Amino acid sequence: MTKLNKLRWVVAIATAFFIGATFASKVSAATVNNDYALSSNQGSSLRTNNNVIIAHATAVYAPARNVAAYEKRAWYDVGAYVQYIVGDGGKIYRVGAEGYQAWGAGSWANANAPVQIELAQTYDQAEFRKDYVTYVNLLRSSAIKYGIPTTVDSSAWRGVKSHLWVTNHVWGNHTDPYGYLASHGITKAQFAHDVQYGFSSSGNDVNPAPKPEPKPVNPTNKKHVDVTYAMHQRNGHWLSPVKNAGSGANGFAGMPYSAHDLLYIKVNRGSIKYRVHTIEDGWLPWVHKANKNNTVNGVAGIKGHTIDGVQMYYTTPSGETYQQAYYRSQSTQRSGYLGTCADNGTVVGYDSWAGMYGEPLDRLQIGINDHSSF
């Protein structure tokens, strides 16, 4: 929801309903209606960085065309508009110009989002299903167009982000679109799954839950897996290794409030590959071995360079119950663990890597299992 006084918004939308009553043009789910697009001398003239696509919901039950008409008319007075409004049975209405800042979720989001999309709200389930398919596909196609990951609300500062994510990580007090989606049976995990994979041109039915994770042929053949890992203090020494994840000082690798430059991980069953992201170098190559004395092929990282991200993937031995690497981290600049990750972004509902760009990673926990224990 854009930053508007809710009462003022409701009154304005009600007024716009009568103004827009003569609207009769027919548009398909894939057609963009430009009747309410801002002219070339309206809206912000500032270009955006292409880092996020913002997902909103309007927070009022009104036709999408009325929301678009209102934003077109009052964009300057109320200081709020986005690029697209989706609703009215899968229609798309353009207001702001792509690639230029909209005024929808605060200065950081506005500067980093080439596209922000509002989902109009309806009580009609059949209308919602059409709106939702169009909304999801527009979010996804916009991300792909601008080279932005299609992951939703991950800990990374790039991807498709809800207004709630912006509130939790940057600024604001909005929680959309999740409350409205939940009213029609769409969970956060379902939404993330749908944006990542999209819908076919025929508009497949919206499923009430994500597709289940793959299950092994023999689900009872689960073997205990130990994962041992350790971190090296930047310009210092190797810290004591940790087995699995527990509580207290022995339950994580690393040193609180310290920066680290090297990491090794090993398992006693199956195999694991891992890599790190450093502030100085970005993502480094995958590592498949674990030998702290071999800083070329046995550990991830570069001596003296600060680790701010970790990613890994566990491979279960053939014939055994499917298990994954679940892991999480803290940074020196935040209290509490960041979101839990599962393998390298292959599990719906979990973050795809641990850490926060630009913030030294000071604690890491890992567990190998068929479920998360965090």
Side-chain angles (χ1 to χ4, degrees), residues 172-220:
N173 59 7
H174 294 290
T175 60
D176 54 299
Y178 290 120
Y180 173 59
L181 294 181
S183 73
H184 285 282
I186 302 298
T187 65
K188 291 182 180 180
Q190 177 72 55
F191 180 55
H193 172 276
D194 293 340
V195 172
Q196 184 174 4
Y197 296 103
F199 293 99
S200 68
S201 58
S202 61
N204 294 333
D205 288 342
V206 177
N207 297 320
K211 295 179 181 178
E213 297 174 16
K215 295 186 180 297
V217 175
N218 181 0
T220 62

Side-chain angles (χ1 to χ4, degrees), residues 73-91:
R73 186 177 69 254
W75 70 273
Y76 183 80
D77 293 335
V78 300
Y81 68 95
V82 296
Q83 278 83 8
Y84 295 110
I85 317 294
V86 172
D88 301 344
K91 296 180 174 64

Side-chain angles (χ1 to χ4, degrees), residues 155 169 229 242 245-254 256 327-331 334-341 351 354-356 361-366 374:
S155 60
H169 292 81
Y229 49 107
V242 174
S247 60
N250 295 323
F252 60 83
Y327 55 105
R328 63 180 185 173
S329 69
Q330 278 192 232
S331 84
R334 299 170 189 263
S335 61
Y337 281 97
L338 299 169
T340 300
C341 310
D351 289 341
M356 190 70 68
L361 188 150
D362 67 345
R363 275 164 273 197
L364 179 67
Q365 288 188 309
I366 310 172
F374 299 125

